[in-house]
Amino acid sequence: MTRADTGTRGVTVRVPAKVNVQLAVGAARPDGFHDLANVFLAVGLYDEVTAAPADELTITCSGPDAAQVPLDRGNLAARAALALAERYGIEPAVHLHIAKDIPVAGGMAGGSADGAAALLACDALWSTGASREELLEICAELGSDVPFSLIGGAALGTGRGELLTPVATGGTFHWVFALADGGLSTPVVFGEFDRLTAGTDLPVPAAAPALLDALASGDPAALAKTLSNDLQAAALSLRPSLAATLAAGTGAGALGALVSGSGPTTAFLVPDESTARRVAAALTASGTCRTARTALSPAAGATVV
Ligand code: ATP
């Protein structure tokens, strides 16, 4: 796309949601964050962020959850645009539109996805010439999950989740996601994790070799056996009704199930597309969730479309 093109039409970036196939949580650090071993898988539910020239920074959002998205400078997309503008001495005169399909406050890193997408869109709009490393640095400053939204695919995140190592995947995995009514705040879920684990000696978090092998083999049955989320007990403690959703999905034929990140979205790994459709229909009919969506993984990271 030429600079003239971007000036008239703006730049649109498509960005995926994520599921954590493993989320191992260590003790709280002095800075308040927890050390994590976080195996991210990008999944094919997408937001699109369009950056177009404007008189000043403005932001709009469309989609079923749009009313829950802040339209001020607290929005991660706005924060990304401001961070890039500041670094390159550019006036942040941009309109950002978020076409939102990733559930809000659902544990699928929707806000982080919009941050990464806005960063890439503004970078293209302003032709900053920033390197991939510089963009990843800004992402890490914006939030622990933002760098992964930029790179997509599958990766192990260590530190507070922001230090990424790509992970091999041997095939396409099929998922069903049960969307819940209302969100769960990530800091509140970590607080509940701290309460539930107080006084216990938490092991140093590490990626499970069997899980990495299962991802590399592309075998969904092997991956299902190794799915784990240390935040699941905390999410269930705060939202006990999620147990019924997990049971409904496994009862309908999912190979494995877990709370996605900090929840309340629940994720169901299935062997193929027809099972995905069946499990999604059963979840919707069960009345234990707002709706169910099917998606494939791994998905590509933030991409200009
Ligand atoms: P994670 O999985 O990274 O913990 P999440 O998917 O649970 O995050 P988000 O959808 O990222 O949650 O939203 C968390 C909160 O962030 C929202 O309640 C909202 O107030 C705020 N927020 C800021 N920017 C955005 C955005 N672009 N989209 C959605 N929420 C945003």
Side-chain angles (χ1 to χ4, degrees):
M1 190 176 280
T2 67
R3 200 162 183 175
D5 286 335
T6 60
T8 49
R9 292 206 305 260
V11 178
T12 297
V13 169
R14 189 170 91 140
V15 66
K18 61 87 186 162
V19 63
N20 307 93
V21 285
Q22 182 186 359
L23 179 43
V25 183
R29 313 189 306 200
D31 66 2
F33 288 103
H34 291 74
D35 273 320
L36 304 176
N38 200 345
V39 183
F40 294 104
L41 202 51
V43 298
L45 292 180
Y46 299 96
D47 281 358
E48 282 191 357
V49 177
T50 300
D55 292 337
E56 56 177 353
L57 178 60
T58 49
I59 186 156
T60 52
C61 183
S62 59
D65 285 354
Q68 297 161 52
V69 175
L71 298 180
D72 56 17
R73 293 185 172 210
N75 191 299
L76 268 161
R79 288 179 46 211
L82 289 168
L84 186 72
E86 190 182 349
R87 186 176 284 222
Y88 287 92
I90 293 165
E91 193 59 38
V94 63
H95 176 72
L96 298 171
H97 179 73
I98 304 171
K100 193 146 201 58
D101 197 36
I102 303 175
V104 175
M108 299 193 78
S112 301
D114 298 343
L119 189 69
L120 199 60
C122 289
D123 180 61
L125 185 69
W126 297 333
S127 304
T128 68
S131 66
R132 192 80 172 160
E133 285 65 34
E134 282 171 296
L135 293 179
L136 281 168
E137 225 174 82
I138 300 173
C139 286
E141 286 162 16
L142 291 169
S144 308
D145 288 353
V146 185
F148 178 71
S149 298
L150 191 70
I151 71 163
L156 167 64
T158 53
R160 56 183 165 83
E162 84 289 13
L163 307 169
L164 295 176
T165 315
V167 159
T169 49
T172 300
F173 294 100
H174 295 256
W175 293 91
V176 181
F177 294 96
L179 278 47
D181 274 321
L184 271 177
S185 150
T186 305
V188 170
V189 175
F190 272 101
E192 182 66 359
F193 172 86
D194 290 339
R195 194 183 71 78
L196 293 175
T197 58
T200 42
D201 237 351
L202 294 171
V204 174
L211 177 113
L212 298 177
D213 288 348
L215 281 171
S217 73
D219 176 359
L223 182 59
K225 285 196 199 106
T226 56
L227 296 171
S228 74
N229 179 0
D230 286 355
L231 291 180
Q232 181 152 320
L236 283 168
S237 165
L238 294 167
R239 191 73 70 84
S241 61
L242 293 180
T245 319
L246 291 168
T250 39
L255 297 167
L258 82 174
V259 169
S260 178
S262 53
T265 302
T266 41
F268 301 87
L269 184 60
V270 293
D272 50 44
E273 199 180 322
S274 63
T275 312
R277 278 199 298 269
R278 199 175 70 239
V279 170
L283 279 163
T284 307
S286 74
T288 62
C289 62
R290 170 160 60 102
T291 185
R293 304 281 304 274
T294 61
L296 301 178
S297 70
T303 311
V304 175
V305 293

